Amino acid sequence: MVSSDLNSESQSAPEVLRRRENEINQFWRSVVTEEPISDDLKTLVRADLKESWHFHRVNEFHGWIRLDWGGTDSGRLILEDTVGRLPSIGLEYIFNKPTVFYILQSAQYTGNGGHRYFIPGIVFAATFQEWIRSDEAGPDVDFKHFIANPIRVTPTGPATVRGIIDAHRSLCTQASDLSRQAEGRSDSFAKSFTIGRREHYSLLPLYRAIVVIVDENWEPPGGHDVEPDGLISLHKVAQKQTVLIARTGVEEDLSAPVSFESLREQSLPVGTPYTIPPDIDVVRIPLAVAVQFIVELEKRESLAYPKTRTETSHDRFIDPIPPKEYEGNSEVCKSPELWVNATLAAAEKYGYDNVPETWESIRRVQAKLRGEDFRKLEHLPFSEGRGVTVQSDRMRYVDVSTHNSDDVAYQNYGDSNSGLLVCIDNDKEKSGVSKLAGWLAIVKQQQSTPSSLRTILRSLVINEATQRVIWEASRRSTFTREGPDNHRQYTEDDEGFFAILGSINGANTMRMLRDHHAAVGYRTVSRVMIIGKANVNLDKPESHDLVIRTPLFVGLPTSRESQTDFRFLRWMGE
C-alpha cells in the first residue's frame, strides 16, 4: 500500500530517482491508494485534474483537426483550377481559420499509379507543434479553430502565386454566398456545413487577406536527423521547411493592413519557378516564422474586435468523458471546475483507484512528489510513430455512400492480397454492411476473392464506450505482449478478448463476419490486439487502434521498398 502522507512520499526520493522509466511505470501501476487521502493531497489532485481537463481538450482537438489534414480527397478540399469549387460541407473546413495552406504538387507524396496526392504528415505535425508553442496561455481549440486548413492542389490546379490568389478569392466569395444562402434556413442545406451551432462558425477577415503556399517538402539528404531521445525535432523541421506567404489584396475588414516588413530580414529568395508581378506582395520564410506571424496577426485582430464569450461558446465535442456515475451527462464537462467536482465526487464514493481519472491523477501527483514522471501531461511527439504503420504498394481506398447521397458513410482502405481491411471511422456504431461494401469494392478492384479477409484494423477508436472497455480489460484481464512495441494481445484464454469483441466497435465487426459469411466465409477470431504508442500502458480510456485477426493470418507486407505509407491514418508525423 502507498501512504497518502506527503512527507513520507518525498523522503525516499534519492532511491526512486535511480529507477528506470519502465520500473517507475511498473511501480506506480502496482500501488494501491490508501484512503482516506489527506486534504493536502486532495488539493494537488484537484489542480492536476484541472490541468488534465485542458490537456484532454487539446488532445481531442488534434484528433479532429488531423482528419482535415489526413485521409483522402473525399475528406478534404482540393483545387483543380483557378476558380475552385466549394461544396457546402467545405465551409466547415475553412471557418474559424486565420489562413489556408495551399499544398502544391511539388510538396506532395507520390502514391499508387505515380500520382501525387498525399499531403506530407510532417508538415502538419510541425505546424501543429509550432502553433501550440506560440501561445503560453494555451490555444483556442473550440469549434475547430486552428491556424489553417489545407487545400490540396491537383495537377490541373494553379501553379503560380497569382493563380493561387485568384482561386482563393473565388473560394472566399463562394463561402460568403453559401453562408448567406443558409441564413434563416433550417433544412438539410443549412445544417450541412458545420458540426455544431452555426453562430460559432464564420469566415475570418484574415482568411481572405493572406494565403500560405507549401511548394516543397523539406527533407535533408539521408532523411531527418534523429535526436538523442530517438525522435525527430519538429521544431528543427519548422525552421528548415520554408513556405510562401502572400497578401491577397482583400483587407477591407481588418483593423489595419497586413505588412510583411517585419519578415523581410528573415525572408529567403522566392524561387526560380515563380515570376512575381510587382502588384503581388509575397515572401518566402521558414514555417516556424510563418506560424508565429499569423498567430500574432490573429491576436491583433482579436484585440481590435473582441468577441463576447457566452455560456454557449464552448465546444462540447472535445470535452473529456464524463466521470463514473455521470455517464451521458455532458453538462459536467463544460468547465474544468464542474468536471473536477464531478470526478472527485465519484472518487469519494467509489474510491480513487476505481475512477480512471483519479487513478491516474493521484499516481501522477505522488510520483511528481518523489521526483518521478508517471503519465505526465504532455502531448506525445508526432514523430514518435504512435499507432500502427502499414506499408503496402497495393493498398486501395474506397468510400461508401448511402443511396442517392454524396455523403460518405464509411471510409476504408484495404489490400485483398494481404487480407487487410482498415476502417477509419471508429466513433459511432456503424453498419457492418458499410464495411462489407468497402471490402467488396477493394476485392473487385484487385480482382481477388472476399474470403481473403484476414485482418480488420479499426484505426483510432474514439468511441467512448469502447475506450472504457479497452481500459477495463487492461486492468482486469490477462494478456500477452507482441512485437517490439509490446502491444497487448488477447486470445480466447483472456477475459478481455470477449469484452473487447463485445464493445461497440468490436461487436459490429463481429456482426459483419456473422451476417456476411456467404461472402467472406465462416470465420472465427483468433486474436485481438490493442495498438497505441510504443510500450503502451492503458492507464486511462483513450484512443487506440483495434486490430481483429482471423485465422490463417500470414502477416502484412513490410518491405521498405513498398513506399505507400499509411501512417497518415494517425498523423503522428514522419
Side-chain angles (χ1 to χ4, degrees), residues 26-193:
Q26 187 175 28
F27 170 76
W28 286 107
R29 286 176 56 81
S30 67
V31 302
V32 176
T33 301
E34 184 180 285
E35 298 192 49
I37 66 173
S38 68
D39 290 340
D40 287 339
L41 185 54
K42 284 183 182 179
T43 299
L44 293 176
V45 169
R46 175 178 289 275
D48 178 82
L49 287 172
K50 184 176 180 179
E51 183 183 355
S52 179
W53 183 87
H54 291 285
F55 173 84
H56 178 91
R57 298 188 86 240
V58 174
N59 230 30
E60 287 298 303
F61 164 80
H62 167 259
W64 285 107
I65 211 71
R66 170 188 55 81
L67 297 177
D68 294 350
W69 286 74
T72 65
D73 288 347
S74 64
R76 64 187 176 209
L77 299 178
I78 62 173
L79 181 60
E80 300 178 286
D81 52 40
T82 56
V83 177
R85 175 184 173 274
L86 184 69
S88 58
I89 191 67
L91 294 177
E92 176 183 319
Y93 299 107
I94 70 175
F95 280 0
N96 297 350
K97 313 290 190 303
T99 191
V100 56
F101 279 30
Y102 284 96
I103 316 294
L104 299 190
Q105 282 281 294
S106 54
Q108 298 172 32
Y109 283 135
T110 303
N112 294 319
H115 301 299
R116 290 178 176 266
Y117 51 80
F118 288 139
I119 295 178
I122 201 165
V123 172
F124 165 67
T127 301
F128 188 91
Q129 181 158 299
E130 289 300 308
W131 183 68
I132 293 290
R133 288 163 52 98
S134 66
D135 193 339
E136 293 182 359
D140 174 13
V141 295
D142 283 326
F143 305 107
K144 299 188 74 173
H145 172 263
F146 187 46
I147 187 171
N149 69 283
I151 296 183
R152 188 182 77 83
V153 181
T154 70
T156 60
T160 65
V161 177
R162 167 68 75 188
I164 292 293
I165 291 176
D166 290 344
H168 183 71
R169 296 178 68 159
S170 172
L171 289 172
C172 289
T173 299
Q174 294 177 52
S176 297
D177 292 342
L178 286 170
S179 287
R180 282 193 293 269
Q181 292 176 38
E183 290 179 2
R185 294 172 58 172
S186 59
D187 56 9
S188 59
F189 172 81
K191 297 176 181 178
S192 65
F193 60 84

Side-chain angles (χ1 to χ4, degrees), residues 534-552:
N535 298 306
V536 59
N537 285 313
L538 302 175
D539 294 332
K540 65 176 181 178
E542 59 181 18
S543 301
H544 292 279
D545 292 330
L546 171 61
V547 181
I548 298 174
R549 290 179 171 176
T550 59
L552 303 178

Side-chain angles (χ1 to χ4, degrees), residues 63 202 265 361 397 410 529 533-534 567 573:
S202 63
E265 291 185 1
S361 178
Y397 166 81
Y410 216 90
M529 288 180 60
K533 62 181 182 297
R567 276 172 285 192

